[in-house]
């Protein structure tokens, strides 16, 4: 069964750091790009960051650029998000998601999502 | 970075057809994908590419695209289709950036 399991969330004070992890199973992890997507309470989905299969291409939303760092360890089938200088507005449920690109038509989509891990930034 | 625009809320009578739209410049370069999210649950992919449904998604869900606009159509909406729907696509500005629409709350009357 294809599965993504996030961990590492919690309550943290503003300005502090937190590291999220996403454990992947049931598929060949290093064949796929991966993403972090967050959802603030009562709000919509917001793309946070994405990383290619070999870490050669990385992107960040403007709202987290310079504060968050995405990385992956293909040997451990794991995705990470290092979050520094956290702000109240970073409070959200953080999902990791697997990206698929079809080779024939170059369709891009996120086909598998974890259940998320909650980050609360508050003093 | 690009933006995708969706209507915040749409309603449909039970058994009728509803179209949810998504507009943005990135859709001129990339197809949208669509996700259904019910309260307390993770998003679920319902449409990707030109008009493709993952296994297990009912055939009442379909997608289309023209220019900078993508549409998700539900033909014969059911009570269980009441949910939030999000579009997303790669961002045409480069790197590995993506963008989501703001979401549409679908109410089935």
């Amino acid at each position: 069964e294809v599965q993504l399991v996030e961990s590492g969330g919690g309550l943290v004070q503003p300005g502090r750091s937190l590291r999220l992890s996403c454990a992947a199973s049931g598929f060949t992890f290093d064949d796929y790009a991966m993403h972090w997507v967050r959802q603030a309470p009562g709000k919509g989905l917001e793309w946070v960051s994405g990383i290619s299969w070999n870490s050669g291409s990385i992107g960040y939303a403007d709202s987290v650029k310079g504060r968050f760092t995405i990385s992956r360890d293909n040997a451990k089938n794991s995705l990470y998000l290092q979050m520094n200088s956290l702000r109240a507005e970073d409070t959200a449920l953080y999902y990791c998601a697997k990206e698929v690109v079809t080779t024939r038509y170059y369709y891009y989509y996120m086909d598998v999502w974890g259940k998320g891990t909650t980050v609360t930034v508050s003093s | 970075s690009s933006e995708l625009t969706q209507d915040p809320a749409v309603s449909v009578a039970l058994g009728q057809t509803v179209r949810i739209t998504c507009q943005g410049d990135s859709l001129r370069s990339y197809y949208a994908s669509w996700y259904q999210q019910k309260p307390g649950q993770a998003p679920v992919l319902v449409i990707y590419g030109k008009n493709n449904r993952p296994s297990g998604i009912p055939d009442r869900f379909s997608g289309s695209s023209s220019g900078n606009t993508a549409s998700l159509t539900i033909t014969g909406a059911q009570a269980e289709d009441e949910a939030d729907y999000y579009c997303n696509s790669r961002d045409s500005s480069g790197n590995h950036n993506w963008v989501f629409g703001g979401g549409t709350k679908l109410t089935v009357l």
Side-chain angles (χ1 to χ4, degrees), chain B residues 10-81:
Chain B
V10 170
S11 61
V12 61
L14 185 67
Q16 297 303 299
T17 297
V18 62
R19 176 177 291 182
I20 298 170
T21 61
C22 173
Q23 286 189 303
D25 287 341
S26 62
L27 301 182
R28 296 186 186 280
S29 303
Y30 300 101
Y31 283 104
S33 45
W34 291 91
Y35 305 83
Q36 176 193 71
Q37 187 181 37
K38 296 181 179 179
Q41 298 183 18
V44 172
L45 176 70
V46 294
I47 290 288
Y48 67 92
K50 193 173 184 180
N51 180 18
N52 299 87
R53 284 175 290 106
S55 174
I57 301 302
D59 61 5
R60 62 179 179 271
F61 289 88
S62 63
S64 62
S65 181
S66 178
N68 74 335
T69 302
S71 300
L72 171 70
T73 300
I74 306 174
T75 303
Q78 302 299 302
E80 60 264 32
D81 299 334

Side-chain angles (χ1 to χ4, degrees), chain A residues 42-76:
Chain A
K43 302 297 185 182
L45 301 174
E46 179 188 15
W47 177 81
V48 173
S49 183
I51 185 169
S52 63
W53 67 276
N54 64 351
S55 305
S57 177
I58 287 175
Y60 297 98
D62 289 343
S63 58
V64 306
K65 199 173 296 183
R67 300 187 299 122
F68 289 11
T69 301
I70 192 172
S71 62
R72 63 190 296 161
D73 184 336
N74 288 341
K76 295 183 178 180

Side-chain angles (χ1 to χ4, degrees), chain A residues 57-106:
Chain A
S57 177
I58 287 175
Y60 297 98
D62 289 343
S63 58
V64 306
K65 199 173 296 183
R67 300 187 299 122
F68 289 11
T69 301
I70 192 172
S71 62
R72 63 190 296 161
D73 184 336
N74 288 341
K76 295 183 178 180
N77 290 344
S78 292
L79 175 72
Y80 306 102
L81 186 68
Q82 177 67 41
M83 304 185 295
N84 298 333
S85 303
L86 282 161
R87 305 167 180 168
E89 53 265 37
D90 295 319
T91 294
L93 181 61
Y94 284 73
Y95 295 103
C96 70
K98 168 178 164 278
E99 176 187 313
V100 173
V101 182
T102 61
T103 53
R104 187 172 180 189
Y105 297 110
Y106 291 97

Side-chain angles (χ1 to χ4, degrees), chain A residues 35 39 47 59 99 109-110, chain B residues 35 37 48 90 96-98:
Chain A
H35 296 268
Q39 187 168 35
W47 177 81
E99 176 187 313
Y109 54 97
M110 299 176 184
Chain B
Y35 305 83
Q37 187 181 37
Y48 67 92
R90 278 198 70 160
H96 223 83
N97 291 23
W98 283 61

Side-chain angles (χ1 to χ4, degrees), chain A residues 20 26 28 32 34 37 43 48 51 62 64 104 107-108 116 122:
Chain A
L20 305 184
T28 305
Y32 296 93
M34 298 293 295
V37 176
K43 302 297 185 182
V48 173
I51 185 169
D62 289 343
V64 306
R104 187 172 180 189
Y107 296 157
Y108 294 82
S122 175

